[in-house]
Amino acid sequence: MRFVRDYLIPRLVQYVLVIFFGITAVFLIPRFTGQDPVLEIIAQIQTQGGSLDPIAVRKLTETLQELYGLRGTLWEQYVNMWRRVFHLDFGPSLFQFPTPVSELLRIYLPWTIGLFATSTLLAWLLGNVLGGIAGYFSSQSWSKILDAVIMVIRPVPHYIFGVLLLILFAYVWALFPAGGLMLGRRTVVDLRFVMIILRYSFLPALTLVVLGGAGWFQQMKLLVQNVRREDFVQYAQAGGVKERVIISRYVMRNAMLPQITQLALVLGQVFSGVLMVEMVFSYPGMGLLLYRAVTRGDYNLVMGIAILSIFTITTAVLLLDLLYPLLDPRIRHR
Amino acid sequence: MDAIITVENLQAFYVLEVMGERKVIKAVNGVDFAVLRDEVYGIAGESGCGKTTLLKAIFAALEPPLRIFEGKVYYYPNGERVDAFSLAGEARRKLRWTYISYIPQGSMSVFNPVKRLRITFLDFLKSHVGGKREEELLTLAREHLVRLGLTPQVLNGYPHQLSGGMRQRVAIALATLLKPRVILADEPTTALDVVAQRAVLQLLRDVQKEFRSTIIVVTHDMGIHAQITDRMAIMYAGRIVEEGLTKDIFARPLHPYTRYLIQSLPKVGDKNTKESAPGSPPSLLYLPPGCSFHPRCSEVMEHCVQEIPPLKKINESHWVACWMREG
Amino acid sequence: MEALRELFRDYRFAVGFVFLVLLAALAFLSFFSPYDPVRWLQVPRDEPPSWKHILGTNAKGQDVFWEATFAIRNSLVVALIAGLVSRVVAVLVGFLAGYKGGVVDRVLMGVADGLLVIPLFLILVLVAMLLREAMTIVNTGLLLAFFGWAWDARTIRAQILSLREREFTQTSLLSGNSTLSLVSKEYVPFTIPLIFSTLISNIAWAIGMEIVLAILGLVRLEIPTLGTMLQWAITRQAMLLGHWWWIATPLALTVILLVALYWLSVSVSEYLDPRMRIQRIGAR
Ligand SMILES: Nc1ncnc2c1ncn2[C@@H]1O[C@H](COP(=O)(O)OP(=O)(O)OP(=O)(O)O)[C@@H](O)[C@H]1O
Ligand SMILES: [Mg+2]
């Protein structure tokens, strides 16, 4: 089938290639920069007052090299790394020694995925629906006002926008907590638990939905203004098809397709935004974990986060690519 | 005979703001004619002379930047005269598809690309036929296609799955769903191969016979006019320069421009190279003074440069706008 | 010049331009600063705005206003280095991929796509973490440049592809012009406006990225930039202590700077959009 050959297979190949090269890059970068994390850690321990005798230093070096997968030739290390990736074994975390990195990731990842998935979906839907309607009625004043507001919001980076919301709604006007949700053992999922999660997730999600939505809004508005001039829309208008049907089934439905492709393209950036927002609000996800790992020089953890994120994003992109033909018959029935 | 559409002194211009400056493209510049019941009326002329604009005005589809500056278009539903431009929105919507219907230029792209054709047909039917269930409407659409000799199977497909010729024919079927009295067809055969062209022409003839509709065909292809139209008008730079029975126009073309158009047709056994009018069409922004055709005319006289020739009656049915035909 | 006058008619361009000039002037003021940008305890600590210190002083004993002039200057330098260097890469890759096509195109675009799909930010963090001590202004700019070209290379390639379709490529090659002179004479003029508008948005991206790297402590924190200023204010609890002037200054400056840049780029790219162009020039 041509669909399989021209659409499906290239995307699967791309999926495998991006993961392969991405993880290889994560492996190679530390080795190219000429920095030795092991030496750094030992230096760190020594500056923190622990005087180590030479034998202890050598033993520690060996242990750390073992743990970090830094033993043997470059090739051996590389093969070894892939074996560890497949076993989801990234060694121990340094700042929560000896908790394995994979254990930390297992705790924090669901929080990130939850925030990432809901806020991205909400932003996409909200931005596209509002942008579509504003684009269709682009000469009306409410559409212009909305556009002007978005012109100010859109260029603000995630981190700054998050800080602004945090100051406004957690300090000046203390409606929401300024972060600090602890990840304890989850006991029962009751209403209180859900309410707590909502309270702590509201501002991070708001940041992501507003900023993301602003972007989708503007693109959709442009797209709709173009689609509106297409023959099939003008013809349906001439034929007296109801305006509601024209907006939804003719204009939005068609303008939506490039927005799905676009979503796949920017998903990596969107994910980066999620991590930054998590840092602002101390939301217990990968972003916060990353912040702690970076500020404490925990290479293993940073690498684990990077590798897992590459998996998450590429898989999400693949899912979008697989979803697309369901919505575009020109791809499905070639 | 009864008129079914009349156009009186119609001036339809595109008004553009260019760098703060107002530009007016005089696409239809004072056009008068009447189309009669049951005939096939042709409009010919080279690209950019305003044919599509004229049809849009007749259909009263006036999207900016297109604006009517002068003139009237009248419809005659149920025998009474109606001004097309002063129709209220709902009344106009009702007349469309039932009284007057439009097959636009490039009608390959009039279908929603992401929906099955069935949905598009239903959307159009629902907007005009009230109080019927979806199933009944669909039956209506199927029967219509069968009557026009098309397979109802096409309704289950997507537009991109049809060939160009087939898509054009389905577009004609969509436009004629509600048996309109008048059908405006803009370049229905352009960009089709000869076989598909013949099928489309046959379909138009069938529609006319089946529903006793009046058809206005616009095409730059004089061959099509010879095959299908009863009467025709020749347009040049936004004006009608000649009008008459098609057979008269081909037998005795009066305007030099008409003669060029006919000479440029390939003839069987004719080895001469085709001769089209020299030069290029004028800019509708800056029309030449006098007769717009004079810069390209081989028989130009002094008078042609000074004054615009009016459309003059030569006999019962033949009119021409040319100073050579004075007296 | 004609184009510039046309652009100034757009209020977004005018406003963006004016604010950018003001910020540039502020950055220039840093050369006349009475204080050293790095040293601590030059003025009393934690003072609210007064005539003497119009934006107050911070917990490090520095004047916030003069610190901000340095911060803008350094942030602009980082962003300009990132923007300009990545333009070189983006233009080379875009031209090469678009002009050569075939395998070259597929490989280069594969690399660009790969860079787009993976969360680049994490790779950036990983590298910055390893280079931490070396993260001076110049190096930060270069690092951002290294990761900031993929999207724009794609855009430029698309433009080259559409230029290649036009006939002057054929006629020019047939009349014996070398590829190089063809590219420089025929393509560059057409792509310069596009390169300019990608430059503006890339600069904005770099400014935002520098802030995040600073928050993570991955640049030299003693050098004042918009990012490090914010980092100090946040880690020293300016929010909690109510030292709003310290945290509001970098926030406000960043927002103004980025909004100004964004309005400029929107205005320019709308001006360049062929569809809009045609509307301006009109038919025939
Ligand atoms: N939307 C528009 N805005 C501005 N000018 C237009 C527009 N549509 C058409 N024109 C101009 O009006 C003139 C007449 O156009 P029109 O489409 O009516 O010509 P036509 O005879 O149908 O030509 P063709 O055979 O190419 O279809 C042309 O000069 C064209 O450039
Ligand atoms: Mg036309």
Side-chain angles (χ1 to χ4, degrees), chain A residues 148-164:
Chain A
V149 172
I150 282 175
M151 280 294 286
V152 180
I153 295 177
R154 173 85 197 278
V156 182
H158 284 85
Y159 194 86
I160 301 286
F161 198 77
V163 170
L164 288 174

Side-chain angles (χ1 to χ4, degrees), chain B residues 14 16 25 27 46-53 65 105 187 284, chain C residues 283-284:
Chain B
Y14 293 98
L16 304 174
I25 297 174
E46 47 195 350
S47 186
C49 69
K51 305 184 296 288
T52 298
T53 313
Q105 187 165 8
E187 306 274 7
L284 295 178
Chain C
R284 265 217 268 216

Side-chain angles (χ1 to χ4, degrees), chain B residues 294-308:
Chain B
H294 84 254
R296 298 166 75 186
C297 186
S298 56
E299 292 151 85
V300 61
M301 308 177 298
E302 203 177 320
H303 197 56
C304 302
V305 187
Q306 290 154 356
E307 210 178 329
I308 301 175

Side-chain angles (χ1 to χ4, degrees), chain A residues 270-284:
Chain A
V270 173
F271 188 78
S272 303
V274 173
L275 297 185
M276 294 172 198
V277 169
E278 287 181 354
M279 288 181 212
V280 178
F281 294 99
S282 305
Y283 175 91

